[in-house]
Amino acid sequence: MSQLNWKDFFLLRKSRLQWERSAGLLGTLSGFGVGGAYFLFVADFDPLAEGPFGLPDMGMAYGLGIVLSGFGGFVLGTLGAVPMWRILRKPNILKMMDVKERDLYQRISKHRPKDIPFMNVPGSQRAVRLPDYYGEKITSVSAYRTWMRNQKLFMARLKSGRLEVD
């Protein structure tokens, strides 16, 4: 592969996102499992003792410890997914992907609205949202074209003063 086309780039990007999500889920389940096993089998439980940090009992402290273990597993799994994904890819593909990634973000920053203040439609409690400001939902060339149309439509509505609340 001498040049990475946009279709292959978006497939690789989707693969990376799937790795992140899968590793986050696996890390969460592992964290819950390890934390649960620790607090269930290793830690001494005294139901009459007062919990740390002003918690009423140790059961709440142990439950909080299990939840925090799951969260820590999620963070570690997600952070470890991208380096693992990159290790399993060829260096020349990664270089081409990095170039395409920069190109995509330059295109996004060029075409998205700039200097938009926080907007609130009169008579409404909700603020007007920008349509996918960072381009996170762009998963294909057709999605990029749809994103471009949404940006242009938003700017036209902004200039004419016809913004509706989503």
Side-chain angles (χ1 to χ4, degrees), residues 65-78:
I66 292 171
V67 169
L68 290 176
S69 297
F71 180 72
F74 170 76
V75 169
L76 290 176
T78 304

Side-chain angles (χ1 to χ4, degrees), residues 35 72 90 121 129 138 144-145 166:
K90 294 180 181 176
V121 176
R129 293 185 310 124
I138 298 175
Y144 174 72
R145 291 181 184 137
D166 290 343

Side-chain angles (χ1 to χ4, degrees), residues 83-99:
M84 287 301 298
W85 182 85
R86 290 184 72 89
I87 286 171
L88 297 173
R89 302 294 180 268
K90 294 180 181 176
N92 62 340
I93 298 283
L94 293 175
K95 287 177 187 174
M96 289 187 285
M97 186 171 175
D98 291 340
V99 169

Side-chain angles (χ1 to χ4, degrees), residues 2 4 25 33 38-39 49 65 71 85 96 108 128 134 136 141 145 160 165:
S2 62
L4 186 66
L25 179 65
Y38 173 77
F39 288 113
F71 180 72
W85 182 85
M96 289 187 285
I108 287 172
V128 176
Y134 295 102
E136 295 163 337
V141 175
R145 291 181 184 137
S160 69
V165 178

